[in-house]
Amino acid sequence: MTTAQHLNTQFGINGELKFREDASGLIVAEISNGQASASLCLQGAHLMTWKPNSQAVPVIWLSRDAKLAAGKSIRGGVPVCWPWFGAHASESAFPGHGYARTVPWQVVESGTEPDGATHLTLRLVQSEKTRSQWPHAGTLDLTVTVGETLRMELATENTGATDFVIGEALHTYFRVGDIGGGRVKGLDGCDYWDKAGGSALRKQSGAISFSGETDRVYINTAAGCVIEDDKLGRRIHVAKSGSLSTVVWTPWTEKAAKMGDLGQPEGWREMVCVESGNAIENVVNVAAGTRHTLIVEYQVELL
Ligand code: TA6
């Protein structure tokens, strides 16, 4: 079992990257440099927080009710959904959004970029349990680069002799002043599966604004998008590559009450999920011996 002390010796960077053991027993990487600060739980390679130094309010949202526990997903941050998105196609007992976010990952590399940003690479640790749910030969790495820009690269390598198919997403919870005073631009004209509206296939017209539960899987789009936040007076730019699906989600009142871990009384009003991935008809065939990488970059612009 790797300890925080061992990780600090091997991968720590003085005054910039340190590892600590959380009360839950899980290990958390804390990053702080001249550009930004962030924290990441090694279980699930789960980025929990990111705040550029230019921002008074964090850009990534973490529920006030978020709890770290072995084998449990964390509410908020950037859950890694892999090797499927949503419910498993045939096994209802398998975890929603795949197992990657609730299993151990190991640190493989860390360093400082020429511009002062900090990068950290983690690899999912395969096990009997993961192989029982997904019997393929492959590796999954996440490289996070923390600066005024947050860059995340999710790399799937097929190390076997047969092709395999994955569904995936970086299921990012963004912090907004109030969901009612925000909108998402950039997906105009895109088709989407309306999961909160009877799973009908619809076409987006104009910006996405919010007045109720919204759960949409936009398909066949490589487009980036922008989250406009009137209350905090900022725009969050979401750029992506290696992704043809974008999911936009807010639970709104009723679903949030049922979920119960979004922070009382109305924590859900301070977040919106904009998730970059490959889902439904956009699942990815990763040919034997090849590598597929999903990349996102987030930047904030004050209005
Ligand atoms: O990405 C949107 C979604 O699929 C919603 O339907 C909702 O279930 C959300 O993910 C959260 O899922 P989780 O398994 O993290 O509770």
Side-chain angles (χ1 to χ4, degrees):
M1 163 79 176
T2 302
T3 64
Q5 186 180 0
H6 165 78
L7 289 168
N8 282 319
T9 304
Q10 198 173 6
F11 299 105
I13 304 172
N14 271 345
E16 185 179 328
L17 166 62
K18 69 178 185 314
F19 299 88
R20 65 174 174 83
E21 187 171 319
D22 176 74
S24 63
L26 297 179
I27 292 178
V28 174
E30 300 282 359
I31 293 171
S32 175
N33 58 43
Q35 298 183 28
S37 59
S39 63
L40 179 143
C41 181
L42 264 55
Q43 175 182 271
H46 193 130
L47 185 111
M48 298 189 287
T49 62
W50 171 56
K51 191 177 85 62
N53 294 346
S54 64
Q55 296 300 307
V57 176
V59 180
I60 298 292
W61 177 89
L62 185 68
S63 171
R64 286 190 291 274
D65 294 339
K67 291 183 186 57
L68 271 59
K72 300 283 184 216
S73 61
I74 299 167
R75 180 64 64 200
V78 186
V80 174
C81 303
W82 189 93
W84 59 84
F85 180 84
H88 187 275
S90 57
E91 301 290 340
S92 57
F94 286 6
H97 291 327
Y99 56 75
R101 62 178 171 167
T102 55
V103 299
W105 292 54
Q106 63 190 19
V107 180
V108 294
E109 206 267 327
S110 67
T112 306
E113 299 289 299
D115 70 355
T118 309
H119 69 253
L120 181 63
T121 299
L122 300 103
R123 176 163 297 162
L124 184 147
V125 177
Q126 304 281 9
S127 65
E128 279 306 301
K129 176 182 171 193
T130 63
R131 277 186 287 273
S132 71
Q133 294 186 4
W134 198 72
H136 301 286
T139 61
L140 181 66
D141 287 0
L142 178 72
T143 297
V144 181
T145 305
V146 174
E148 276 290 334
T149 298
L150 178 66
R151 179 182 171 94
M152 302 181 81
E153 302 172 55
L154 188 66
T156 299
E157 182 100 36
N158 185 339
T159 56
T162 55
D163 298 5
F164 57 63
V165 173
I166 58 165
E168 60 181 348
L170 291 169
H171 190 299
T172 307
Y173 289 74
F174 290 99
R175 173 74 161 80
V176 292
D178 183 278
I179 185 78
R183 67 201 64 77
V184 174
K185 290 183 168 179
L187 296 171
D188 184 25
C190 293
D191 292 332
Y192 66 91
W193 292 103
D194 185 357
K195 287 170 60 181
S199 291
L201 186 62
R202 306 183 196 282
K203 189 176 286 291
Q204 182 59 39
S205 172
I208 306 162
S209 54
F210 303 96
S211 58
E213 182 185 355
T214 305
D215 193 350
R216 301 177 182 180
V217 182
Y218 290 84
I219 52 171
N220 306 324
T221 174
C225 57
V226 179
I227 303 167
E228 277 190 357
D229 184 340
D230 298 343
K231 187 168 181 184
L232 291 181
R234 68 186 187 187
R235 288 191 188 96
I236 302 172
H237 294 269
V238 177
K240 67 173 189 175
S241 66
S243 159
L244 286 178
S245 309
T246 294
V247 182
V248 177
W249 174 61
T250 174
W252 214 256
T253 316
E254 211 173 300
K255 180 146 187 184
K258 281 190 196 130
M259 293 173 73
D261 62 354
L262 291 158
Q264 296 307 331
E266 292 192 317
W268 58 272
R269 295 199 67 94
E270 294 183 341
M271 70 92 184
V272 62
C273 277
V274 177
E275 310 155 31
S276 303
N278 292 292
I280 310 179
E281 48 260 75
N282 296 138
V283 292
V284 179
N285 181 69
V286 184
T290 69
R291 181 185 177 91
H292 157 76
T293 305
L294 159 61
I295 299 175
V296 295
E297 283 200 350
Y298 305 139
Q299 283 188 305
V300 194
E301 174 199 3
L302 288 170
L303 298 182

